[in-house]
Amino acid sequence: MRWLRRDDTRDEIDSEKGFLFVTGEAADMPLRDIFLKFRKTVSGDMEWADSRKHVFRRRASYVRVATLLLTAASTVVLGIEAIPSRAAIALPMVALVTVLSQLDTFYNWRSRWVLMEEAQYRLNRLRDDIDYYVITTPQSELEEERLKKFFLEQQATWNDVSRRWIDLRKVGNPPQSEQAPPNIVVT
């Protein structure tokens, strides 16, 4: 089953190598170039979140569809009297539904998919803020302090994602209720 295997041949995204790698280790870059390199890092973060989101969505969908089909098929098999040994056919189907349900509970793919969707949204917002600031601010008026704020927002996003990711992976602990991240206002 290809969908259960980990794809170890994937290319490493530049943002996974760090901001120092993305900047080319240049010490005295103009601030505008640093902003643009940081924007590239945020875009790479979005690509990573998107790749994880697709994996989790696919796995969650496969398990849900398989569970639904097996549940329906076992019910139909039990209901058709013309099928010989129908209990012997339906029982393994029901057992497989139980196994798939436990896999879904253990890996919590849907919640992790939603988490990556949220991370991607937050990073997209950050990238839009960087774009707006760089485009609307003359190069001579760009502030290093503003770059630090953008960096701290990126770090806060990943800190929140990492904390919640770990919570979702804890065995025996159901995920806590979804809360809006601190920088998203819910009305």
Side-chain angles (χ1 to χ4, degrees):
M1 295 176 144
R2 186 178 152 258
W3 63 277
L4 285 175
R5 287 189 312 226
R6 182 182 169 150
D7 185 14
D8 290 330
T9 61
R10 72 173 180 84
D11 294 328
E12 188 176 28
I13 297 173
D14 285 347
S15 68
E16 289 179 305
K17 298 174 187 175
F19 188 47
L20 186 63
F21 175 83
V22 173
T23 61
E25 301 181 26
D28 295 327
M29 290 177 69
L31 195 53
R32 185 179 197 315
D33 291 346
I34 294 173
F35 270 100
L36 295 176
K37 296 283 187 176
F38 182 66
R39 181 197 184 281
K40 183 178 178 182
T41 301
V42 172
S43 292
D45 290 348
M46 290 172 58
E47 287 176 35
W48 185 87
D50 191 51
S51 71
R52 299 287 81 205
K53 179 182 73 175
H54 288 297
V55 168
F56 298 145
R57 180 177 57 212
R58 188 172 44 251
R59 290 178 182 174
S61 298
Y62 287 162
V63 168
R64 293 284 169 104
V65 168
T67 301
L68 177 67
L69 291 175
L70 286 168
T71 301
S74 65
T75 303
V76 169
V77 166
L78 285 173
I80 300 176
E81 293 182 18
I83 298 176
S85 304
R86 58 183 188 238
I89 296 170
L91 186 59
M93 290 178 169
V94 172
L96 195 52
V97 166
T98 303
V99 169
L100 287 173
S101 296
Q102 288 305 306
L103 272 176
D104 189 38
T105 300
F106 179 76
Y107 286 107
N108 209 350
W109 288 308
R110 185 179 188 287
S111 294
R112 292 164 66 198
W113 154 28
V114 170
L115 178 62
M116 289 299 107
E117 185 81 37
E118 180 185 312
Q120 192 176 23
Y121 163 77
R122 290 173 66 181
L123 291 166
N124 191 39
R125 260 194 47 235
L126 173 61
R127 189 178 64 182
D128 288 347
D129 290 346
I130 294 168
D131 288 350
Y132 182 80
Y133 179 72
V134 169
I135 296 300
T136 61
T137 307
Q139 186 167 346
S140 61
E141 295 177 22
L142 292 175
E143 298 174 357
E144 190 174 328
E145 192 59 38
R146 192 68 179 262
L147 178 62
K148 287 179 183 175
K149 287 181 182 178
F150 290 142
F151 178 77
L152 290 175
E153 186 173 340
Q154 179 220 27
Q155 293 300 299
T157 297
W158 284 123
N159 284 338
D160 184 50
V161 167
S162 295
R163 180 189 52 76
R164 290 173 55 198
W165 181 289
I166 290 169
D167 288 345
L168 291 171
R169 294 287 292 151
K170 287 182 181 175
V171 179
N173 292 336
Q176 296 178 4
S177 63
E178 297 293 326
Q179 298 174 2
N183 60 351
I184 296 177
V185 178
V186 178
T187 55

